[in-house]
Amino acid sequence: MEGMSFEAFASMDDLEARSPSRSHGIDARLEATFRWSYCDFLRDAGIELRMPQLTIATATVFCHRFYSRHSHAPAENSIFTIATACLFLAGKVEETPKSLREVVRVSYLVQHKNEYDFAVKRIHQQDCFEDQKQRLLNAERLLLHALRFDFNVDHPYKHILSLAKRAFEDVHVTQNFSRNLTQVAWNFANDSLRTTLCLQFNARSIAAAVLYLG
């Protein structure tokens, strides 16, 4: 089911009202829980894969975009499967690719971290690995169509740096103050990835807001 166009932003109310998950009885609170879960998964799996923060951020935006057009309800839209596909694709888009085998293995272990020893044995068994690989490849195809092959993501990070530089050009502040404020804003930008702000506002607006909060 299709939702918003990525060429236009939408308000939080519109995003929640038009979410494809509503038609399957998933309310905004439950959907937010799913969102936080896949954001945590993307962070943990991305770190284990030694992916740069920018790549993890791109994967997160891809995931938000996917669920603005597809419901959480169908089994093939499992947050772990779709999030893994987002990481795999983001690695290629941001030119920090990881092998299919590595992404499948690490993502499976992160997903089953509470039963890690058993998961290590399972993912090294051919039937389990092939099943997870096929799930990932199927999810990537779904993701490509959901994104309409639009992989452009503008993150707030570069805007934070340029706006901070401009703001402090004519103001006498210490280098330490400027660096600390920029770092706080950067952290807020990272935190914003757990929300749908990237679907509501452009990256420059988010950068200005987090600098103001800093």
Side-chain angles (χ1 to χ4, degrees):
M1 179 176 179
E2 293 189 358
M4 62 168 285
S5 167
F6 302 140
E7 288 75 25
F9 296 100
S11 69
M12 181 183 293
D13 288 343
D14 282 344
L15 287 170
E16 291 189 353
R18 293 157 52 188
S19 169
S21 292
R22 297 296 172 273
S23 62
H24 292 100
I26 298 172
D27 63 19
R29 179 173 295 184
L30 181 55
E31 187 169 24
T33 301
F34 290 150
R35 185 182 307 120
W36 298 332
S37 294
Y38 69 66
C39 285
D40 288 343
F41 173 80
L42 286 166
R43 179 200 63 209
D44 294 345
I47 290 172
E48 287 296 320
L49 285 163
R50 297 183 179 180
M51 286 179 156
Q53 172 59 29
L54 188 67
T55 302
I56 298 172
T58 295
T60 306
V61 173
F62 285 167
C63 225
H64 291 329
R65 289 178 176 179
F66 179 87
Y67 287 114
S68 74
R69 286 182 168 162
H70 290 272
S71 172
H72 284 276
E76 63 268 23
N77 293 350
S78 158
I79 59 174
F80 297 113
T81 304
I82 296 300
T84 300
C86 289
L87 269 181
F88 186 53
L89 179 61
K92 292 184 280 189
V93 169
E94 297 296 348
E95 299 183 351
T96 56
K98 299 295 180 179
S99 70
L100 177 63
R101 176 171 292 276
E102 188 176 9
V103 172
V104 169
R105 182 185 65 82
V106 170
S107 297
Y108 186 83
L109 294 178
V110 171
Q111 179 184 349
H112 299 283
K113 60 186 177 182
N114 292 331
E115 43 184 3
Y116 185 82
D117 291 340
F118 176 74
V120 169
K121 295 177 182 177
R122 280 293 292 142
I123 198 58
H124 284 96
Q125 294 172 357
Q126 191 66 17
D127 64 327
C128 179
F129 175 80
E130 289 298 328
D131 177 64
Q132 294 301 313
K133 182 181 77 171
Q134 194 57 52
R135 288 171 187 259
L136 169 54
L137 293 175
N138 291 342
E140 186 181 33
R141 283 193 287 272
L142 278 176
L143 177 62
L144 292 172
H145 287 286
L147 298 177
R148 297 175 183 173
F149 295 87
D150 177 5
F151 310 130
N152 182 52
V153 178
D154 185 20
H155 293 293
Y157 305 114
K158 64 182 180 182
H159 299 293
I160 290 173
L161 297 177
S162 63
L163 289 172
K165 181 179 180 180
R166 181 181 301 178
F168 296 133
E169 277 180 346
D170 301 320
V171 180
H172 297 292
V173 296
T174 65
Q175 185 177 16
N176 189 55
F177 176 85
S178 174
R179 184 168 53 248
N180 288 343
L181 180 60
T182 302
Q183 183 60 58
V184 170
W186 199 281
N187 292 341
F188 278 140
N190 286 337
D191 290 343
S192 76
L193 288 170
R194 293 170 61 85
T195 73
T196 57
L197 280 178
C198 64
L199 303 180
Q200 300 174 55
F201 304 99
N202 64 44
R204 189 174 179 82
S205 296
I206 294 173
V210 296
L211 272 171
Y212 178 79
L213 289 173

